[in-house]
Amino acid sequence: MDRVIRVGLLGCGVVGTGTLQILRDNAASLTRRLGAPIEVRKVVAKDRDKPRHDVVRPEQLSFDPEDVLGDPEVDIVVELAGGLEPAGSWVRRALKADKSVVTANKFLLAEHGHELFGLAEDHGVDLYFEAAVCGGIPVIRVLREALASDSVLALRGIVNGTSNFILTRMQQDGLDYSVALAQAQEAGYAEADPSLDVNGGDASHKLTILATLAFGAKLVPSDVAVEGIEHLTALDMKMAARFGRVVKLLATGRSLPGWDGAPGPLDLRVHPALIPTTSPLASVSGALNAVHIEGERLGPCLLTGYGAGAMPTAMSVVSDLVDVGRNLLTHASGRVPQRAVSSAHLARRAVQAPTAHVGRYYLRFPILDRPGVLARIVGVLGAFDVPIEHMLQESRTPGSKEPVQVVVLTHAARDGNIRSTISEVQRLSGIAAPPVAIRLEEA
Ligand SMILES: NC(=O)c1ccc[n+]([C@@H]2O[C@H](COP(=O)([O-])OP(=O)(O)OC[C@H]3O[C@@H](n4cnc5c(N)ncnc54)[C@H](OP(=O)(O)O)[C@@H]3O)[C@@H](O)[C@H]2O)c1
């Protein structure tokens, strides 16, 4: 190969444009670091009417992916279109043509990673994806390379900036969910269809990828128990503050101990949780992301920064390009197993059923202020072995017909028993609205 790394971009939106800007503005330093210039041969987009003159030269622009995928001169395909298709077919096609790929597509890698990484290994090429999880935070490299000598016991992260922005606005400004969501959309953090951000789907894709690397396990998104933030209210944020806590959407992966020192099942969950205001994750506000890793030998390690946005995400894409380029120049593609271990060494690990999880809970029961209701609730909690640590009942505003809130913080209880408690309490007379259960985590 001559000493030029030739790149084709599929997608020129937020991240694609940022990638082209960095490649243009940092060309000299990138060439020094890589030992060869990076040449962008083609940039493929869909909409012919969008202006892109500031970053794409007219002869670079194409609307036909074949101009990248069918070009034998292209060494690295950068997939920045997103979604499962046509991005998935493009990545397959590139890998089968012995081209390395850089992508930011967590959805594709969480759903089809095993097939795609297998293809990369079979063809002796790289499939790099630092930008796919937590945008600009180099968490993939840390898990893949820096922690090669350690065992990850647990990781816990705030990995979706949109939901974190919404929760921060609800917590700090007392906004209702729908108002905070509208603000996130106005600020450009949430998509027109924000479902995957707020229902925990995006975070579960990222956790699937992170946990695969952290635990060397073969995982799919359905291994993660998922709950979103759509049902949270400003009232729960206010209550959380009364207990010295904030509400965060946490992605948690833990390796549970098994028998005789053997690894037990994995505990993989995405859900809102009340965490102490003193926790390092509590101050991760707005669109910031963070991942807290607990290594057996390293101990705790916190990585935080911007998990999205053109520049932080494109920075990760270009760093991947440099790494993949170095591998091409030294004929070392595939030298570093992309998921910390090769596909053949990914272990099958059992995953703990969500109902088996044991932890503490915040429970809120909106009740009618009548005698006996509280006693019946306490009876149900006792019947399902849910130990009460703290209980408070709001005083009623004189003359108000509004429900009164009863809040319980529990000691450790089984998730399955909490679910049974909630459905049983819902059937009691004097319950004004469905009860709310949110996990407590010490994070
Ligand atoms: N945005 C972020 O902050 C961020 C952070 C981390 C990861 N990511 C990931 O990065 C990837 C790209 O995200 P983005 O925000 O840059 O998306 P985006 O702004 O919507 O850009 C997507 C690009 O792909 C092009 N495209 C889509 N379908 C196409 C098709 N069928 N043929 C040709 N071009 C097509 C679009 O063309 P047009 O320009 O013509 O519409 C656009 O240029 C996604 O996987 C996303 O999950 C994004």
Side-chain angles (χ1 to χ4, degrees):
M1 181 179 36
D2 54 13
R3 292 175 68 81
V4 175
I5 298 298
R6 297 195 170 88
V7 169
L9 245 73
L10 299 170
C12 179
V14 174
V15 184
T17 302
T19 299
L20 290 167
Q21 277 168 356
I22 295 177
L23 287 173
R24 181 195 61 197
D25 299 346
N26 289 5
S29 104
L30 289 167
T31 303
R32 272 202 311 279
R33 282 172 186 256
L34 173 56
I38 296 174
E39 178 199 330
V40 178
R41 283 177 71 83
K42 284 286 176 209
V43 177
V44 177
K46 191 164 63 173
D47 182 345
R48 289 170 190 268
D49 298 328
K50 265 193 206 168
R52 322 175 193 262
H53 313 300
D54 50 338
V55 282
V56 189
R57 293 194 309 278
E59 69 274 17
Q60 283 179 316
L61 187 60
S62 161
F63 300 95
D64 183 1
E66 198 50 35
D67 285 344
V68 166
L69 297 169
D71 179 353
E73 298 284 304
V74 166
D75 303 302
I76 308 173
V77 172
V78 183
E79 184 280 304
L80 297 172
L84 294 183
E85 285 300 337
S89 302
W90 292 342
V91 171
R92 265 179 216 103
R93 175 90 197 280
L95 296 171
K96 285 182 183 168
D98 298 338
K99 294 183 192 302
S100 288
V101 172
V102 171
T103 180
N105 195 333
K106 59 251 166 179
F107 192 11
L108 179 63
L109 293 183
E111 292 289 345
H112 298 294
H114 301 304
E115 177 211 345
L116 298 175
F117 287 108
L119 264 179
E121 287 167 8
D122 291 347
H123 286 262
V125 292
D126 286 324
L127 170 52
Y128 271 47
F129 56 101
E130 183 65 72
V133 183
C134 297
I137 306 175
V139 62
I140 299 298
R141 271 185 184 73
V142 167
L143 289 172
R144 185 174 55 206
E145 291 157 51
L147 295 183
S149 59
D150 206 355
S151 303
V152 176
L153 302 174
L155 60 86
R156 189 169 272 141
I158 295 174
V159 296
N160 183 275
T162 307
S163 56
N164 200 43
F165 177 91
I166 294 171
L167 294 177
T168 304
R169 293 275 69 79
M170 290 173 75
Q171 192 92 48
Q172 291 181 355
D173 304 336
L175 300 183
D176 274 330
Y177 169 77
S178 54
V179 180
L181 170 60
Q183 279 197 2
Q185 283 170 320
E186 263 169 48
Y189 291 121
E191 307 284 331
D193 175 8
S195 350
L196 278 178
D197 287 321
V198 297
N199 70 13
D202 175 77
S204 78
H205 293 146
K206 292 167 178 166
L207 180 60
T208 305
I209 297 171
L210 289 176
T212 300
L213 273 91
F215 306 117
K218 191 166 184 177
L219 302 169
V220 289
S222 57
D223 289 325
V224 180
V226 188
E227 198 187 301
I229 62 164
E230 308 99 309
H231 62 288
L232 296 178
T233 62
L235 178 62
D236 293 310
M237 304 285 160
K238 216 168 83 187
M239 289 291 183
R242 281 173 72 166
F243 294 107
R245 289 176 179 262
V246 292
V247 182
K248 294 288 179 191
L249 182 69
L250 290 188
T252 303
R254 295 189 305 152
S255 179
L256 301 173
W259 297 106
D260 297 333
L266 294 176
D267 173 24
L268 301 173
R269 295 174 275 127
V270 167
H271 55 73
L274 270 72
I275 62 172
T277 48
T278 49
S279 146
L281 292 180
S283 53
V284 177
S285 304
L288 284 172
N289 280 193
V291 180
H292 185 269
I293 299 168
E294 185 73 34
E296 191 176 355
R297 292 160 193 86
L298 171 75
C301 169
L302 180 70
L303 300 168
T304 184
Y306 285 105
M311 278 302 137
T313 311
M315 191 276 305
S316 289
V317 170
V318 178
S319 296
D320 275 356
L321 274 175
V322 171
D323 260 3
V324 173
R326 283 173 177 151
N327 286 346
L328 284 166
L329 292 172
T330 54
H331 306 284
S333 299
R335 185 185 69 84
V336 182
Q338 341 264 274
R339 294 182 292 176
V341 297
S342 66
S343 296
H345 289 102
L346 281 181
R348 294 218 171 260
R349 291 281 295 271
V351 174
Q352 177 178 262
T355 47
H357 173 71
V358 175
R360 296 176 62 210
Y361 282 80
Y362 156 98
L363 305 175
R364 178 167 60 80
F365 304 101
I367 65 166
L368 302 176
D369 195 10
R370 289 191 202 139
V373 182
L374 200 54
R376 287 196 287 274
I377 292 175
V378 171
V380 175
L381 288 164
F384 286 105
D385 274 338
V386 178
I388 299 172
E389 186 213 275
H390 198 99
M391 184 173 218
L392 73 81
Q393 177 173 354
E394 270 194 332
S395 51
R396 186 160 65 101
T397 317
S400 166
K401 295 223 162 38
E402 286 295 303
V404 169
Q405 305 297 331
V406 171
V407 174
V408 173
L409 299 192
T410 76
H411 285 297
R414 270 178 90 84
D415 182 287
N417 291 11
I418 295 287
R419 290 171 199 228
S420 305
T421 301
I422 295 294
S423 60
E424 192 65 28
V425 166
Q426 227 163 321
R427 283 202 282 267
L428 297 177
S429 71
I431 300 299
V436 172
I438 309 175
R439 290 177 178 85
L440 292 180
E441 296 276 343
E442 295 320 307

